[in-house]
Amino acid sequence: MREFDLIQRFFDRPTRQGQVRLGIGDDGAILQVPEAHELVVVTDTLVEGVHFRATDGADNLGYKALAVNLSDLAAMGAVPIWALLNLTLPEANERWLGQFSEGFFSLASQYDVALVGGDTTRGPLCVSVTAGGWVSAGQALTRSGAGVSDRVWITGTIGDAALALALGEQSLASGGSETRWLLDRLHRPTPRIGIGQALYGLASAVIDISDGLLADLGQIVGASGQAGAIIEATSLPLSPAGESYPLDDRMTWALTGGDDYELCMTVPQAKSERMRRLSKEAGVSLTDIGCITDQAGIVLTRAGVPIAGPSRAGYEHLWPVIGEGDS
Ligand code: ADP
Ligand code: MG
């Protein structure tokens, strides 16, 4: 199949998005930014064997490649508008492409995100999405505004994706509805778009949890120039689907597992009531799990008493270093 035909068949779709003046088909897309707004741009790449397995399903991959980007836009408080898709494919498998585009557009249409361009190349399977959205000028949420004694809140439940990963590949055939739910948490995370947009004026800092709560809360602490935070272990929102697993494992998955794509935000104590109201209005659970402190490090407590945390903070890519002295 020629590149042109592939794009026409699987990716060129009409959009209702008024701010897209020109989409797929030219050398570049033309996009409008409404007056008094700013453009927020995010990008994320999924590599086979690192971020997903060949057996995960093309529809899930298409969905997730966009979802992780929409999650970044949510963490910035932005309204998602458009996306670019860079696909590196070993072959043009029509069934695979059909499923991939179905997964991608099932999420894109939910938020009226227009696919406005991309690139298609031949090589080892890799999917990279760049997405854009708008915020009212000056209203983007960042990681850097957390203050001492701000409460730490998170959306939804955490540790589900890590549990699903631990379940392994055979589980889908043998598992019941709970297993399916967990696998969906891994493959089809829900970007917290609505909550993100509601946080302006409420949250002092926001991040999406992709590398594990400890690591990502650490990013907020660092970017905000703070010393540390306390997390109360008994407050962590764990899903009922994991109930049959040892609590220690569930804690480790929740704190370090990653791939949650929930939001973690800090909120001044005086606004706690508004957070509880937002949770009811948005139909998403929001849980107060701790606070920012002036003591160094992220401390885990149980009923207020410090306890030992997991030995590893979260997922990190490590590269073999090639430097001077190597030939
Ligand atoms: P060029 O050679 O100018 O880069 P291409 O032939 O790569 O153009 O792409 C033609 C058009 O198709 C461009 O508008 C490009 O943005 C779009 N496109 C290419 N690959 C994809 C893809 N995977 N998804 C969506 N649009 C794509
Ligand atoms: Mg090109």
Side-chain angles (χ1 to χ4, degrees), residues 50-71:
V50 179
H51 303 94
F52 66 93
R53 299 164 295 200
T55 51
D56 287 346
D59 55 339
N60 286 334
L61 180 59
Y63 179 101
K64 189 166 182 175
L66 181 60
V68 299
N69 280 278
L70 297 193
S71 178

Side-chain angles (χ1 to χ4, degrees), residues 3 7 11 24-27 85 87 115-120:
E3 184 187 342
I7 296 159
F11 298 111
I24 290 175
D26 216 302
D27 291 312
L85 172 63
L87 258 185
L115 181 61
V116 298
D119 201 17
T120 310

Side-chain angles (χ1 to χ4, degrees), residues 3-4 6-8 10-13 20 22-31 43 82-89 100 104-105 114-122 126-131:
E3 184 187 342
F4 176 82
L6 187 155
I7 296 159
Q8 281 276 301
F10 295 105
F11 298 111
D12 195 356
R13 299 240 184 136
V20 176
L22 186 62
I24 290 175
D26 216 302
D27 291 312
I30 307 177
L31 309 163
T43 192
W82 53 261
L84 297 165
L85 172 63
N86 293 338
L87 258 185
T88 306
L89 301 169
F100 178 90
F104 183 95
F105 283 109
L115 181 61
V116 298
D119 201 17
T120 310
T121 50
R122 206 169 154 191
C126 176
V127 185
S128 188
V129 171
T130 299

Side-chain angles (χ1 to χ4, degrees), residues 295-318:
Q295 308 289 305
I298 297 186
V299 176
L300 198 62
T301 62
R302 181 176 295 280
V305 180
I307 57 172
S311 52
R312 202 177 63 105
Y315 190 80
E316 224 182 321
H317 291 273
L318 292 175

Side-chain angles (χ1 to χ4, degrees), residues 12 16 23 59 103 130 146 148 169 171 173 184 190 222 254 261 277 308 326:
D12 195 356
R16 290 186 298 176
D59 55 339
T130 299
V148 173
E169 287 177 31
S171 54
D184 265 0
T190 305
Y261 299 103
R277 242 182 291 139
D326 293 320

Side-chain angles (χ1 to χ4, degrees), residues 158-159 162 211-217 229-233 236 238 247-258 297-302 306-315:
I158 53 172
D211 297 331
L213 174 65
L214 289 184
D216 290 320
L217 178 57
I230 291 174
I231 296 175
E232 172 56 36
L236 290 176
L238 308 179
L247 186 61
D248 263 7
D249 288 346
R250 298 174 74 200
M251 282 295 176
T252 304
W253 290 324
L255 291 167
T256 66
I298 297 186
V299 176
L300 198 62
T301 62
R302 181 176 295 280
I307 57 172
S311 52
R312 202 177 63 105
Y315 190 80

